[in-house]
Amino acid sequence: VQLVESGGGSVQAGGSLTLSCAASGKGDGNPYRCMGFFRQAPGQEREGVASISRHDVPTYLTSVKGRFTISKDTAKNTLDLQMDNLQPEDTAMYCCAAGELIMCSAFAMPSFANRGQGTQVTVS
């Protein structure tokens, strides 16, 4: 299983970025029950940001609700995180994660073993 993120970068506060995650190598051909993103800032714990279930039900970290939108394209095995009105506190390494947890939630994202290498988001 391989998860590859793209789309990170540096923006000013109030700006937008879209992160993408491409998933490959899942042998059974079925979509993951749960996919999403977590982030980690220097010196801080990993924090689940957003998740989306197989049935397209999203959940979000409270502090990003209304600013971030998660979506997926099952046919292409891709996941997107649209991030608007970015703030300096959103600065972190963002990682894609995927798994078979039935109770899919943003909170669970840091615990998933299947994860990408991450992409850096810096907001100044």
Side-chain angles (χ1 to χ4, degrees):
V1 174
Q2 187 176 25
L3 300 171
V4 179
E5 303 92 341
S6 60
S10 297
V11 296
Q12 292 188 336
S16 298
L17 284 172
T18 300
L19 304 184
S20 295
C21 174
S24 62
K26 191 173 186 287
D28 64 6
N30 295 320
Y32 285 104
R33 289 182 186 276
C34 185
M35 297 185 72
F37 289 87
F38 66 88
R39 66 188 181 188
Q40 187 168 25
Q44 296 190 19
E45 297 288 325
R46 291 187 183 123
E47 179 179 56
V49 175
S51 70
I52 189 164
S53 71
R54 179 180 289 177
H55 301 294
D56 291 333
V57 177
T59 69
Y60 298 96
L61 177 69
T62 299
S63 63
V64 309
K65 281 182 181 178
R67 300 188 297 122
F68 291 12
T69 303
I70 191 168
S71 62
K72 64 180 174 67
D73 186 326
T74 301
K76 296 180 180 179
N77 287 327
T78 57
L79 182 70
D80 287 334
L81 184 67
Q82 174 68 39
M83 304 186 295
D84 296 320
N85 191 21
L86 283 160
Q87 300 300 313
E89 53 266 33
D90 295 316
T91 295
M93 180 71 75
Y94 284 70
C95 294
C96 175
E100 300 300 332
L101 186 67
I102 294 176
M103 297 299 289
C104 187
S105 72
F107 180 80
M109 285 295 109
S111 67
F112 282 19
N114 294 327
R115 58 183 65 167
Q117 293 296 310
T119 185
Q120 179 67 36
V121 171
T122 303
V123 187
S124 59

PDB file of all heavy atoms in Angstrom, residues 40-44 91-93 120:
ATOM      1  N   GLN A  40       1.180  17.227  12.019  1.00  0.00           N
ATOM      2  CA  GLN A  40       2.070  17.309  13.171  1.00  0.00           C
ATOM      3  C   GLN A  40       2.951  18.529  13.024  1.00  0.00           C
ATOM      4  O   GLN A  40       3.700  18.657  12.049  1.00  0.00           O
ATOM      5  CB  GLN A  40       2.917  16.046  13.316  1.00  0.00           C
ATOM      6  CG  GLN A  40       3.727  16.025  14.598  1.00  0.00           C
ATOM      7  CD  GLN A  40       4.342  14.663  14.876  1.00  0.00           C
ATOM      8  OE1 GLN A  40       4.567  13.860  13.964  1.00  0.00           O
ATOM      9  NE2 GLN A  40       4.608  14.386  16.146  1.00  0.00           N
ATOM     10  N   ALA A  41       2.855  19.407  13.992  1.00  0.00           N
ATOM     11  CA  ALA A  41       3.715  20.584  14.047  1.00  0.00           C
ATOM     12  C   ALA A  41       4.929  20.261  14.919  1.00  0.00           C
ATOM     13  O   ALA A  41       4.846  19.373  15.780  1.00  0.00           O
ATOM     14  CB  ALA A  41       2.939  21.765  14.615  1.00  0.00           C
ATOM     15  N   PRO A  42       6.035  20.941  14.729  1.00  0.00           N
ATOM     16  CA  PRO A  42       7.237  20.666  15.519  1.00  0.00           C
ATOM     17  C   PRO A  42       6.954  20.746  17.013  1.00  0.00           C
ATOM     18  O   PRO A  42       6.350  21.708  17.494  1.00  0.00           O
ATOM     19  CB  PRO A  42       8.212  21.762  15.083  1.00  0.00           C
ATOM     20  CG  PRO A  42       7.777  22.104  13.707  1.00  0.00           C
ATOM     21  CD  PRO A  42       6.278  21.983  13.721  1.00  0.00           C
ATOM     22  N   GLY A  43       7.348  19.706  17.733  1.00  0.00           N
ATOM     23  CA  GLY A  43       7.183  19.683  19.176  1.00  0.00           C
ATOM     24  C   GLY A  43       5.784  19.393  19.662  1.00  0.00           C
ATOM     25  O   GLY A  43       5.521  19.460  20.864  1.00  0.00           O
ATOM     26  N   GLN A  44       4.889  19.056  18.731  1.00  0.00           N
ATOM     27  CA  GLN A  44       3.522  18.790  19.130  1.00  0.00           C
ATOM     28  C   GLN A  44       3.106  17.380  18.742  1.00  0.00           C
ATOM     29  O   GLN A  44       3.749  16.720  17.931  1.00  0.00           O
ATOM     30  CB  GLN A  44       2.586  19.813  18.481  1.00  0.00           C
ATOM     31  CG  GLN A  44       2.828  21.243  18.925  1.00  0.00           C
ATOM     32  CD  GLN A  44       1.751  22.197  18.463  1.00  0.00           C
ATOM     33  OE1 GLN A  44       0.636  21.782  18.114  1.00  0.00           O
ATOM     34  NE2 GLN A  44       2.059  23.477  18.449  1.00  0.00           N
ATOM     35  N   THR A  91       0.088  25.611  10.392  1.00  0.00           N
ATOM     36  CA  THR A  91       1.414  25.208   9.935  1.00  0.00           C
ATOM     37  C   THR A  91       1.801  23.867  10.529  1.00  0.00           C
ATOM     38  O   THR A  91       1.771  23.691  11.749  1.00  0.00           O
ATOM     39  CB  THR A  91       2.460  26.265  10.327  1.00  0.00           C
ATOM     40  OG1 THR A  91       2.174  27.481   9.623  1.00  0.00           O
ATOM     41  CG2 THR A  91       3.868  25.799   9.988  1.00  0.00           C
ATOM     42  N   ALA A  92       2.102  22.899   9.665  1.00  0.00           N
ATOM     43  CA  ALA A  92       2.445  21.546  10.115  1.00  0.00           C
ATOM     44  C   ALA A  92       2.803  20.687   8.907  1.00  0.00           C
ATOM     45  O   ALA A  92       2.612  21.088   7.762  1.00  0.00           O
ATOM     46  CB  ALA A  92       1.257  20.908  10.850  1.00  0.00           C
ATOM     47  N   MET A  93       3.287  19.491   9.206  1.00  0.00           N
ATOM     48  CA  MET A  93       3.428  18.454   8.187  1.00  0.00           C
ATOM     49  C   MET A  93       2.097  17.717   8.127  1.00  0.00           C
ATOM     50  O   MET A  93       1.612  17.252   9.149  1.00  0.00           O
ATOM     51  CB  MET A  93       4.550  17.488   8.556  1.00  0.00           C
ATOM     52  CG  MET A  93       4.757  16.367   7.543  1.00  0.00           C
ATOM     53  SD  MET A  93       5.485  16.975   6.018  1.00  0.00           S
ATOM     54  CE  MET A  93       7.185  17.234   6.553  1.00  0.00           C
ATOM     55  N   GLN A 120       4.555  19.470   3.574  1.00  0.00           N
ATOM     56  CA  GLN A 120       4.633  20.580   4.521  1.00  0.00           C
ATOM     57  C   GLN A 120       3.702  21.716   4.112  1.00  0.00           C
ATOM     58  O   GLN A 120       3.643  22.102   2.942  1.00  0.00           O
ATOM     59  CB  GLN A 120       6.068  21.108   4.592  1.00  0.00           C
ATOM     60  CG  GLN A 120       6.272  22.285   5.518  1.00  0.00           C
ATOM     61  CD  GLN A 120       6.067  21.943   6.985  1.00  0.00           C
ATOM     62  OE1 GLN A 120       6.416  20.847   7.433  1.00  0.00           O
ATOM     63  NE2 GLN A 120       5.496  22.869   7.739  1.00  0.00           N
TER      64      GLN A 120
END
